[in-house]
Amino acid sequence: MAWLVPWRTNFAPGELCVVAVRLDGRLVGLAPFYCEHCRRGRRALPMGFPVTDYRDVLIAPRLEEPVLAALGSHLADAEICDEVELTELPPHAYALRMATPVGYAANTGNASACPALVLPPTVPELQRTFPARKRRALRTARNHAGRRGPIEIVAANCNSNFDGFETAISRASIPLMHSNRPA
């Protein structure tokens, strides 16, 4: 998610439109969009489009359905845009499960391929897949980053604790448009 800040700074394709969903004051969903004007009116697209293949809304585990309902409802009710384009999302993306709001029509179609790299299960096996030159470049990059402060790489899964999620997002200095609707 942090990479969206430099993406926005460099590309700035349209008006920022980030929808946050809160439950009991806790951030449980985040939909980073930008809006641009097109022939048919205002169109919302996922931030990062078309640079990356993997875009989606962020949702706290086990809250997928209520957050998706709140996002779809807010996008329609707030009159943020005339159309939401969810182009080039991976097949398992949460955003693809969002219900079509009343007054909107859903159109689907095929998009380009989104390749995935299956990584070896252990670090030694992973290290052997990269050429020595690339491993040196990665060590150099990590050392440079380490001089700026401590580095921590944390593996996340559906059971991960997301207490630091909101803090990380707020440090990204992205203005948020909050939904006051309950999830």
Side-chain angles (χ1 to χ4, degrees):
M1 181 61 119
W3 71 271
L4 290 176
V5 174
W7 176 87
R8 173 76 185 154
T9 302
N10 288 292
F11 295 107
E15 182 182 340
L16 192 60
C17 172
V18 179
V19 180
V21 178
R22 294 178 181 277
L23 178 63
D24 297 327
R26 184 174 157 240
L27 182 65
V28 294
L30 190 70
F33 289 104
Y34 67 93
C35 293
E36 65 180 18
H37 294 277
C38 65
R39 286 179 281 126
R40 295 177 302 275
R42 292 184 49 191
R43 171 173 66 167
L45 295 111
M47 284 179 58
F49 177 80
V51 177
T52 181
D53 288 333
Y54 291 98
R55 291 174 297 281
D56 200 359
V57 295
L58 300 175
I59 301 176
R62 295 175 293 284
L63 293 174
E64 295 87 353
E65 298 312 315
V67 169
L68 288 171
L71 286 173
S73 175
H74 184 74
L75 286 169
D77 293 348
E79 298 180 7
I80 294 166
C81 56
D82 302 305
E83 92 183 25
V84 178
E85 186 173 318
L86 300 173
T87 304
E88 301 290 340
L89 294 178
H92 60 277
Y94 289 125
L96 294 175
R97 294 181 11 213
M98 189 169 28
T100 304
V102 174
Y104 282 68
N107 298 315
T108 59
N110 293 329
S112 60
C114 184
L117 173 64
V118 177
L119 297 174
T122 67
V123 172
E125 288 176 273
L126 177 63
Q127 289 173 336
R128 286 192 297 271
T129 63
F130 290 100
R133 183 175 177 195
K134 182 58 78 178
R135 290 194 308 267
R136 279 192 303 275
L138 290 170
R139 277 194 305 275
T140 300
R142 188 176 185 128
N143 289 337
H144 284 250
R147 288 187 206 122
R148 301 187 86 192
I151 298 172
E152 182 181 9
I153 299 173
V154 180
N157 61 37
C158 64
N159 297 318
S160 296
N161 182 348
F162 284 90
D163 290 339
F165 179 69
E166 185 168 1
T167 305
I169 296 302
S170 65
R171 274 190 269 149
S173 301
I174 299 174
L176 299 177
M177 178 175 63
H178 298 281
S179 170
N180 293 325
R181 299 175 185 275

